[in-house]
Amino acid sequence: MSNLENTIKGYLDKRAEEDPLFAESYKKPGKSIKECCDYITGQAYKLGGSTVVVDDDTVYGWAVHYYDEDGIKVDKLPARAGVRTVVELSDEEKARAREDAIERYKLECIAKEKAAEAEKKKQRIEKAKARREAEKAAGINVPTLFSFDEL
């Protein structure tokens, strides 16, 4: 279930517990939370196309209307339209999310630095190896501290 479907279902379940008349409408066969959410998004789309802001009371009103009325026509959204829900965070949650993001960024920077260092080291080794091979191929024998056994 999507976030929208869970939110609408939670609201409707609570409403059905508190309102026995709505509870009967909520049990109607042929009605579903998914189709209810499709109805809600279709109604929102009619208001403003692909970008629209709708308050909670209006959305919940559409959900109740979907279950109360029998002849509801559910309009399908265009393929490019979608639903975005906004979640309000408390100041504590915002602070924690910021701290987590900073920590992830630090770890990402450290990983990038290590990868860059490893790449530089690999390039230095390959360059030295290529130089030694070129010297060997040219017949130049430049001794190093560890190559006296080869002389």
Side-chain angles (χ1 to χ4, degrees), residues 50 100 112 127 138:
S50 61
D100 290 347
K112 284 181 182 179
K127 188 176 179 180

Side-chain angles (χ1 to χ4, degrees), residues 72-92:
I72 294 286
K73 180 180 183 284
V74 178
D75 296 320
K76 295 292 180 184
L77 287 178
R80 300 186 78 187
V83 176
R84 292 186 191 163
T85 56
V86 177
V87 177
E88 294 293 326
L89 299 176
S90 69
D91 290 340
E92 183 180 297

Side-chain angles (χ1 to χ4, degrees), residues 31-73:
K31 302 270 185 172
S32 69
I33 294 295
K34 181 172 180 7
E35 190 175 78
C36 177
C37 290
D38 289 343
Y39 173 73
I40 291 168
T41 53
Q43 293 299 108
Y45 190 80
K46 286 179 188 177
L47 288 179
S50 61
T51 305
V52 64
V53 176
V54 182
D55 65 284
D56 291 349
D57 291 337
T58 302
V59 171
Y60 293 140
W62 287 334
V64 170
H65 180 75
Y66 166 81
Y67 279 97
D68 282 342
E69 299 298 320
D70 290 328
I72 294 286
K73 180 180 183 284

Side-chain angles (χ1 to χ4, degrees), residues 2-49:
S2 71
N3 189 26
L4 176 65
E5 291 170 347
N6 285 329
T7 302
I8 296 299
K9 183 175 181 342
Y11 172 80
L12 294 174
D13 288 346
K14 184 177 178 189
R15 173 99 183 230
E17 287 176 12
E18 296 170 354
D19 182 355
L21 188 60
F22 175 72
E24 290 303 313
S25 295
Y26 191 42
K27 295 178 190 174
K28 287 181 181 177
K31 302 270 185 172
S32 69
I33 294 295
K34 181 172 180 7
E35 190 175 78
C36 177
C37 290
D38 289 343
Y39 173 73
I40 291 168
T41 53
Q43 293 299 108
Y45 190 80
K46 286 179 188 177
L47 288 179

